[in-house]
Amino acid sequence: MSMGDVAERRSKGDAPPLIALRGVCKTFVSRDGAEVHAVQDVTLNVYRDEFVSIVGPSGCGKSTLLNMVVGLVAPSRGEVVIDGGARGRRQGWAGYMTQADALLPWRTVLENAELGLELRGVQRAERRARVRQLLAKVGLADVAGRYPSEISGGMRQRLSLVRVLAYEPEALLLDEPFSAVDVQLREILHQDLLRLWRESGKTILFVTHDLHEAIALADRVVLMTDRPGRIKREYAVELPRPRPMFEVQLLPGFIELYRTIWSDLKDEVLKAHADILY
């Protein structure tokens, strides 16, 4: 979906955002009793079918935001509303994928991929048919009987993606899922992710430190400030789709957008690391 499509839908007002953060704040208390303000006054709408990337300096609360969206952490103030509050944050509405693949070493590729469906009580024949189809789409059909220790790091990340897609969540919350793989393999995983996104129509909220990755994948990039994390600015990514991941930086407008966002991001990175740089 293009940014024009998203803008048109917003102007019509025909659907609420799938994910809405309204004045969200989060404060933690450290072991010594000090308050740590991680996120402050964040308001953000993420619409159905959108791919939104969140960038910002280390420690600015990007992962905390995802944890509040998925319900692992409660906001200290403000609220997270899913689908206009019509159905609440029901179990299984979102798939959550992090840098760590969290695969079960005693289960095969196929058995890991079907875990979510198994826990939901889907019958064996149905869940295996669904999972085998997804494994084939990402090139893992031939290793379905192997164990995680017998496949590469890139295959493990693909398997993690299949596992969260298999039970058909409405949204994918991805927290730096490809940061542990090399650059060339990451581009291949980007292609897999975008293809699966187009085919499934899921909403994706993607956290990354990599500005190139954020722009290459998203419809919209959200920039957060140094801690306490606030939204500093949002940027529409008006690059055409489908995008050639290996050459996306050559598309007209990519470099200009990269420089614009980096100019704003650089100031926040310098603030975050001022104690080291000065």
Side-chain angles (χ1 to χ4, degrees):
M1 174 172 291
S2 71
M3 284 301 296
D5 294 334
V6 173
E8 181 181 359
R9 180 177 55 196
R10 289 177 187 168
S11 66
K12 291 179 179 179
D14 57 358
L18 178 61
I19 301 168
L21 292 86
R22 299 174 178 170
V24 169
C25 304
K26 183 60 186 179
T27 300
F28 296 98
V29 178
S30 66
R31 292 183 179 180
D32 60 4
E35 289 189 343
V36 178
H37 301 288
V39 173
Q40 186 167 323
D41 297 326
V42 169
T43 294
L44 175 67
N45 290 330
V46 180
Y47 293 84
R48 289 187 179 278
D49 310 324
E50 246 195 319
F51 196 128
V52 175
S53 292
I54 300 178
V55 297
S58 297
C60 72
K62 300 185 295 295
S63 296
T64 298
L65 275 186
L66 285 194
N67 287 335
M68 286 191 286
V69 169
V70 81
L72 295 176
V73 173
S76 302
R77 191 170 72 249
E79 61 179 346
V80 178
V81 180
I82 306 303
D83 198 17
R87 289 172 289 175
R89 193 190 281 109
R90 65 198 178 285
Q91 185 176 9
W93 76 273
Y96 197 10
M97 181 178 168
T98 64
Q99 178 179 341
D101 56 54
L103 300 174
L104 301 180
W106 60 88
R107 295 179 68 114
T108 65
V109 166
L110 178 64
E111 291 166 345
N112 266 287
E114 68 178 355
L115 180 59
L117 294 174
E118 184 179 338
L119 294 174
R120 293 177 70 173
V122 177
Q123 294 298 311
R124 178 187 174 98
E126 179 184 347
R127 69 177 186 252
R128 294 219 156 173
R130 191 186 306 179
V131 163
R132 287 187 186 279
Q133 185 179 41
L134 285 170
L135 290 175
K137 287 183 177 181
V138 297
L140 295 180
D142 292 341
V143 298
R146 295 185 186 178
Y147 291 90
S149 61
E150 299 173 323
I151 61 176
S152 69
M155 288 180 174
R156 291 170 68 100
Q157 292 305 94
R158 287 180 183 149
L159 174 54
S160 296
L161 184 58
V162 165
R163 184 170 60 181
V164 298
L165 281 170
Y167 61 87
E168 298 183 347
E170 294 176 72
L172 298 179
L173 309 179
L174 307 179
D175 192 356
E176 299 197 76
F178 309 135
S179 60
V181 299
D182 64 67
V183 174
Q184 291 82 8
L185 179 54
R186 192 181 308 172
E187 302 291 354
I188 295 172
L189 293 172
H190 289 166
Q191 293 278 30
D192 287 338
L193 175 60
L194 288 181
R195 178 166 47 82
L196 291 169
W197 171 60
R198 288 195 305 269
E199 293 173 357
S200 66
K202 306 300 181 189
T203 300
I204 296 183
L205 192 55
F206 188 97
V207 162
T208 178
H209 280 92
D210 187 333
L211 182 53
H212 180 284
E213 179 178 62
I215 297 171
L217 293 173
D219 294 316
R220 184 161 44 112
V221 175
V222 176
L223 172 61
M224 293 187 67
T225 67
D226 184 27
R227 192 171 67 193
R230 304 177 180 87
I231 292 179
K232 182 174 185 177
R233 197 157 296 152
E234 298 183 27
Y235 310 83
V237 181
E238 297 178 341
L239 304 177
R241 294 193 186 276
R243 296 172 186 167
M245 286 295 101
F246 287 100
E247 299 178 345
V248 68
Q249 70 276 9
L250 302 179
L251 292 175
F254 181 93
I255 295 299
E256 181 180 356
L257 180 58
Y258 185 99
R259 287 174 174 166
T260 297
I261 301 176
W262 172 242
S263 177
D264 292 332
L265 174 58
K266 177 178 64 177
D267 294 337
E268 301 305 322
V269 172
L270 291 175
K271 291 177 189 176
H273 299 285
D275 56 334
I276 299 174
L277 297 174
Y278 302 106

